[in-house]
Amino acid sequence: MPDLQPYESVPARTVLGLGLHHVQLALPAGGEDECREFYVGVLGMTEVQKPPALAARGGLWVRADNLEIHLGVEEDFRPQKKAHPGILVADLDALAQRVQEHGLDVEWDDNFPGMRRFYLQDNNGNRLEFLSPERAG
């Protein structure tokens, strides 16, 4: 078993050049308009056109800054209450204010040393985590 590294350590470098292109979340059939209201209207992301071969499946693709989320139709949809993306945010307080102005509740959590974060449920009940490194001071 390899040595367990402290969280603060520098990530391993590989010859593979690993990175994250997008996160896939599920939505119920016919839920695209409500997802647009949340991801575009509340979070301020931009909808991008899906490739024609994938567009027939339904769903919604959105992106902003360095984040892309693909929302795919799942016939037996169940919201993810535990599994979630961890989304980095430059101004966490501004995002919290924005979502609260849209009538949504944020759940602050201070259990991640060195990070400020909150959880938010999307319009379908999927868990989202938004976080930002604490500022030294």
Side-chain angles (χ1 to χ4, degrees):
M1 184 170 160
D3 291 333
L4 184 62
Q5 298 294 310
Y7 183 80
E8 300 80 16
S9 65
V10 175
R13 297 286 179 207
T14 71
V15 297
L16 303 173
L18 300 173
L20 183 64
H21 180 272
H22 68 273
V23 172
Q24 172 88 24
L25 298 174
L27 72 142
E32 288 87 352
D33 287 341
E34 290 83 7
C35 279
R36 278 185 191 92
E37 290 176 18
F38 179 80
Y39 287 92
V40 176
V42 176
L43 296 184
M45 300 180 80
T46 300
E47 182 176 358
V48 294
Q49 187 174 24
K50 293 179 68 175
L54 300 176
R57 300 178 185 174
L60 175 73
W61 288 7
V62 293
R63 66 180 171 204
D65 303 313
N66 293 312
L67 174 64
E68 187 164 325
I69 298 176
H70 295 179
L71 295 135
V73 174
E74 198 169 285
E75 293 303 324
D76 188 22
F77 172 77
R78 290 191 184 119
Q80 293 300 304
K81 301 294 185 184
K82 181 76 172 170
H84 62 274
I87 301 169
L88 288 170
V89 180
D91 190 339
L92 195 62
D93 293 312
L95 177 60
Q97 181 178 349
R98 179 181 175 113
V99 300
Q100 289 169 330
E101 287 170 356
H102 282 87
L104 302 173
D105 295 321
V106 299
E107 178 188 339
W108 289 96
D109 182 337
D110 60 359
N111 292 317
F112 191 160
M115 300 297 273
R116 295 184 61 233
R117 69 180 178 171
F118 67 79
Y119 293 100
L120 174 68
Q121 290 186 357
D122 76 1
N123 61 293
N124 293 308
N126 290 313
R127 186 181 202 194
L128 305 173
E129 177 182 356
F130 296 93
L131 64 165
S132 182
E134 287 182 345
R135 293 187 179 134

